[in-house]
Amino acid sequence: MKTLVEFIWEQQEQHVGYATGEFSRLLNDIGIAAKIVNRDVNRAGLSGILGSEGTVNVQGESQKKLDVLANNEFIKALRNGKQCAAIISEENEDVVVFDEKTTENAKYIVAIDPLDGSSNIEVNVPIGTIFAIYKRKSLGKIITTEDVLQAGTELVCGGYIIYGSSTMLVYTTGHGVNGFTYDPTCGLFILSHENIKIGETGNIYSINEANYIYFAEGVKRYIKYCQEDDKASNRPYTTRYIGSLVSDFHRNLLRGGIYIYPGTLKNPNGKLRLMYECIPVAFLAEQAGGKASDGYKRILDIQPHHIHQRVPLFIGSKDMVDKAEEMMRIYSPGFAKLIED
Ligand code: P6P
C-alpha cells in the first residue's frame, strides 16, 4: 500500500534528484481540498447544497452551490499551503493572486476547474476537478503575464479528481500517469492504478451528437466512420457520452476511446477551456501514450492568450485521434482558420 504523499516524495527523489517538499506540499494541498469536496459531493442531497447559487460565472454559466463551495475549498487549501502564488479558476473572472508574503516565495501557479460537469450533480452522475500546475517564470512579489499564460509544454503537473463510484486522483508530472483511490476509512489516497496506458486504438467514441447539424464536415465524416460496419477494424464503435469531461476522459483513458468537443460554425472554439480543462487532460493523454489536438494542432503547443480561452478538443487513443484529424484535414481544411489563435 503506497500513499499519495509517499509516491510524490519517491517520484521527486527519483526524477528530480531531491525533494524540497514544495511541490509535494502543493499536490498534497490539492489532495486535502479534494477530500473536503468529496465529502460535500457525497452528502450534497442531505446538506442543502444542491441547486444553483443564483449567480453566473465568467463563462455565462449558472453557478451551482457546489461549484462555489469547491472553488472556495481549493483556493483556501492552496492559500494555506503557501506553495501557490496565484490561481486561474473557471469560477473567477480574474487571476486570484495571493498576498505578497506568499507570492514573494511561492514558485507555482495553479489553473483549476474546481467542479467540472456540475450540472450532473443533482442526478448523481460522476463529476470532477481538473488541475494544471505551472512553475512561475518570474520571482518576487509581482505575478507577471508570463507566469500566468503558459503553454501546455511548460506544464509541471496535470491531473484530475473524479468523484465517482469511488473517488480517484489521477496525475502526471511527465513521468507516466498514476491513479490513487481515496479510502475514506483512513482519509488517504492509495496508489491503485500504476503507470496507466491508453490503448493505441479503442472502440468508444464520446461526442454530443445533438449538435451534429452544426459540426464541421470533418467531424460529421468521422462520426459516420465510427458507425460504419467493418469488422476488421472493430466498427461500428460504441458511443458513450456522460456529459462530464472527467468521467468520459477517465473511462477512455482506462479502456481506450476518443472524446471530441469540437467547434461549430456558431462557436468555432467549442466549449472547453484551454488552460484548466484541455491542457491538463492533454498532458495526461500524451503521458499515457495517447494524443490531444484541436483537430489540427497539438493542444500542448497552443499558446494561451486569455485565461478563459476556449479550444476544440479531440483527445484519446492515438490512432482514433489521428483518424479524426485526417477527416478534418480532408473535409474541413478551412475550419482551422476559424479557431481563435
Ligand atoms: P454539452 C461540463 O459542463 C462540460 O464542461 C464537460 O465536462 C462536458 O464534457 C461538456 O461540458 C458537456 O457539454 O454541451 O455536451 O452538455
Side-chain angles (χ1 to χ4, degrees):
M1 184 177 102
K2 192 170 285 182
T3 66
L4 173 65
V5 175
E6 288 164 339
F7 187 86
I8 297 168
W9 198 269
E10 205 177 83
Q11 288 273 305
Q12 290 297 94
E13 290 285 337
Q14 195 180 346
H15 298 296
V16 180
Y18 64 92
T20 62
E22 291 160 323
F23 176 75
S24 311
R25 170 72 199 257
L26 176 63
L27 200 47
N28 194 49
D29 293 336
I30 289 174
I32 291 168
K35 293 176 191 176
I36 296 169
V37 171
N38 178 62
R39 177 204 63 194
D40 292 345
V41 165
N42 287 344
R43 299 188 65 255
L46 302 172
S47 38
I49 52 176
L50 286 176
S52 290
E53 179 74 6
T55 50
V56 172
N57 67 13
V58 62
Q59 329 287 341
E61 296 161 344
S62 145
Q63 285 182 303
K64 301 288 184 188
K65 289 176 184 167
L66 269 169
D67 280 322
V68 176
L69 265 170
N71 194 43
N72 293 342
E73 288 304 335
F74 281 98
I75 291 175
K76 187 165 59 178
L78 290 167
R79 177 184 284 115
N80 294 342
K82 303 202 182 313
Q83 304 309 317
C84 172
I87 294 180
I88 299 154
S89 169
E90 181 188 75
E91 303 305 331
N92 294 80
E93 181 160 6
D94 301 314
V95 179
V96 177
V97 180
F98 291 144
D99 63 74
E100 287 192 348
K101 203 165 168 315
T102 302
T103 56
E104 199 163 18
N105 304 301
K107 293 192 176 70
Y108 297 100
I109 304 276
V110 174
I112 191 164
D113 183 353
L115 207 57
D116 177 73
S118 52
S119 57
N120 293 299
I121 293 171
E122 280 91 357
V123 293
N124 229 356
V125 167
I127 50 184
T129 298
I130 312 172
F131 61 90
I133 301 175
Y134 293 92
K135 205 145 194 194
R136 285 178 61 181
K137 297 293 186 186
S138 72
L139 293 172
K141 295 176 186 173
I142 307 300
I143 302 300
T144 66
T145 306
E146 290 69 32
D147 286 333
V148 172
L149 295 177
Q150 298 189 49
T153 44
E154 301 297 310
L155 211 52
V156 168
C157 174
Y160 59 84
I161 297 103
I162 179 168
Y163 310 99
S165 48
S166 69
T167 291
M168 276 187 72
L169 186 151
V170 179
Y171 85 95
T172 182
T173 55
H175 305 287
V177 177
N178 294 281
F180 301 78
T181 298
Y182 181 57
D183 181 344
T185 64
C186 58
L188 293 171
F189 280 103
I190 311 288
L191 180 63
S192 55
H193 295 66
E194 194 159 3
N195 195 23
I196 298 172
K197 289 295 177 194
I198 187 170
E200 279 213 339
T201 190
N203 75 332
I204 297 172
Y205 71 101
S206 311
I207 187 168
N208 186 343
E209 294 193 47
N211 301 319
Y212 183 85
I213 58 171
Y214 304 116
F215 289 155
E217 184 59 23
V219 177
K220 293 178 177 177
R221 294 282 183 143
Y222 183 68
I223 291 172
K224 292 306 165 201
Y225 172 83
C226 293
Q227 295 169 348
E228 281 171 358
D229 188 349
D230 177 85
K231 293 289 171 283
S233 56
N234 202 17
R235 289 180 290 149
Y237 297 149
T238 188
T239 184
R240 291 284 184 276
Y241 191 74
I242 302 173
S244 165
L245 168 61
V246 171
S247 306
D248 280 312
F249 178 72
H250 184 72
R251 182 207 49 247
N252 291 352
L253 185 67
L254 297 182
R255 292 218 176 128
I258 185 170
Y259 169 99
I260 302 175
Y261 205 103
T264 62
L265 298 177
K266 282 193 298 185
N267 299 302
N269 281 49
K271 173 182 182 183
L272 302 179
R273 273 62 57 152
L274 174 61
M275 292 209 68
Y276 41 80
E277 290 174 323
C278 300
I279 284 177
V281 292
F283 190 31
L284 286 158
E286 290 195 2
Q287 282 293 312
K291 190 172 184 182
S293 78
D294 64 0
Y296 304 93
K297 61 180 177 294
R298 185 182 179 226
I299 290 288
L300 296 186
D301 288 339
I302 297 174
Q303 173 55 48
H305 294 296
H306 184 277
I307 60 173
H308 298 300
Q309 182 174 337
R310 298 173 193 266
V311 69
L313 181 64
F314 295 61
I315 188 168
S317 295
K318 185 180 175 310
D319 293 357
M320 299 178 87
V321 176
D322 283 345
K323 189 66 183 177
E325 287 176 343
E326 180 191 325
M327 299 289 187
M328 295 305 281
R329 274 195 309 274
I330 296 168
Y331 298 102
S332 301
F335 194 87
K337 296 184 197 66
L338 302 180
I339 300 172
E340 169 209 337
D341 229 357

